[in-house]
Amino acid sequence: MAELVEFRVPTGSARTLLVWGLEPDPSLEHSLFSVFSKFGLLYSLRAHRNAAVAGPGFYAVIKFYSAADASRAQHACNGQRLFQKSPVKVCVCTKQKGFQQQVLALSSTKCQELANHYLGFHGWSSRIITLQNVSGLDGENKELGKASQRQSVKFLCAVEVTVPSHGVCSRGVALGEADVEDGAGPLEFLTATRRAQKLAVGRALSSSFQKILLVVLENGKVAVEYNSCQEEPTDLLTEEELKGLIEVKAI
């Protein structure tokens, strides 16, 4: 049976484990990570002190990208002592009511971490097609006759992600923006410029990964597919057309 893994914050209660019966330990989260990361890539791990009515001790919430990994971890660790004197209890959070889960894109850092885990460090590559300054500075406020205390530095970036062994190529376009106080010196302006560039590149990279689907098979092999449902009009442009479009927007 295959499992679909997307470059989005993992949702679905089957990917989340609740661990309780944990003893106090300054390195508790590190110990938990050492144990549970052996079963698969973790999105998050947080340890919390028990509520007063539950008595002393801690519990932890661990979220995997894969429901299959979470299930294997639960079966292997439930009732085991792991790294402490008393056994812990581990269950899959099969019911999470009271809130609606919102599907969010992963940050560029998390996207790269996920790609490295399933595809390998050399199994994919990315490149910046173009990075253009599209700052309007204070033009809009001046047209409205308003006195502004800030300038806005904006960069528009296009990034391409390629998975050569699967013949998949995906593009993302995103805007990065950073404010600069009116009258700021060259150093502050340079810092804001770099911040806006970094934001634009990171968001464009994340956008590229949103169109890639990982199909994890039972034998551990991974198939990669392009998600055309996430396709944008800019994906149909050639590289030269894309550069030209961004340059026009920069004028």
Side-chain angles (χ1 to χ4, degrees), residues 56-77:
F58 288 75
Y59 71 94
V61 178
I62 303 174
K63 181 170 288 189
F64 287 81
Y65 285 98
S66 163
D69 291 344
S71 178
R72 289 192 299 110
Q74 190 272 330
H75 285 98
C77 298

Side-chain angles (χ1 to χ4, degrees), residues 33-249:
F33 181 85
S34 297
V35 170
F36 286 92
S37 62
K38 294 176 182 178
F39 297 94
L41 186 63
L42 306 182
Y43 169 73
S44 63
L45 186 158
R46 295 288 184 272
H48 307 273
R49 188 182 298 275
N50 289 343
V53 293
F58 288 75
Y59 71 94
V61 178
I62 303 174
K63 181 170 288 189
F64 287 81
Y65 285 98
S66 163
D69 291 344
S71 178
R72 289 192 299 110
Q74 190 272 330
H75 285 98
C77 298
N78 185 38
Q80 301 300 312
R81 289 183 173 83
L82 302 181
F83 46 80
Q84 61 182 39
K85 294 179 180 179
S86 58
V88 301
K89 294 183 179 180
V90 184
C91 71
V92 176
C93 298
T94 54
K95 294 182 180 180
Q96 292 183 8
K97 297 182 178 180
F99 64 93
Q100 184 176 3
Q101 293 179 324
Q102 184 179 5
V103 180
L104 301 173
L106 289 177
S107 68
S108 59
T109 301
K110 288 286 190 180
C111 284
Q112 293 175 78
E113 185 181 62
L114 188 60
N116 289 337
H117 178 78
Y118 283 106
L119 304 175
F121 289 94
H122 303 293
W124 65 280
S125 63
S126 66
R127 69 184 182 95
I128 297 174
I129 297 174
T130 187
L131 180 62
Q132 295 284 345
N133 188 334
V134 295
S135 304
L137 297 181
D138 202 21
E140 295 180 359
N141 285 332
K142 287 180 179 178
E143 290 178 4
L144 295 174
K146 296 180 180 179
S148 175
Q149 298 301 316
R150 292 179 181 274
Q151 295 180 353
S152 181
V153 181
K154 299 179 182 179
F155 276 83
L156 194 63
C157 180
V159 168
E160 181 180 78
V161 171
T162 306
V163 187
S165 60
H166 295 270
V168 172
C169 180
S170 175
R171 291 177 180 173
V173 178
L175 181 72
E177 182 177 0
D179 288 335
V180 184
E181 293 290 343
D182 191 31
L187 181 59
E188 289 81 2
F189 191 82
L190 178 61
T191 300
T193 297
R194 289 176 175 173
R195 187 164 63 249
Q197 290 175 333
K198 184 177 180 180
L199 281 171
V201 172
R203 288 171 179 172
L205 181 62
S206 176
S207 176
S208 298
F209 275 115
Q210 303 314 303
K211 300 160 192 172
I212 295 176
L213 300 175
L214 303 175
V215 183
V216 184
L217 307 178
E218 269 189 297
N219 59 9
K221 292 185 177 181
V222 179
V224 182
E225 297 181 2
Y226 180 76
N227 185 8
S228 58
C229 295
Q230 297 290 328
E231 204 166 54
E232 300 170 322
T234 51
D235 295 327
L236 304 177
L237 300 177
T238 65
E239 187 169 319
E240 291 304 316
E241 289 173 331
L242 186 57
K243 287 181 180 179
L245 176 66
I246 292 179
E247 287 170 359
V248 169
K249 287 185 176 181

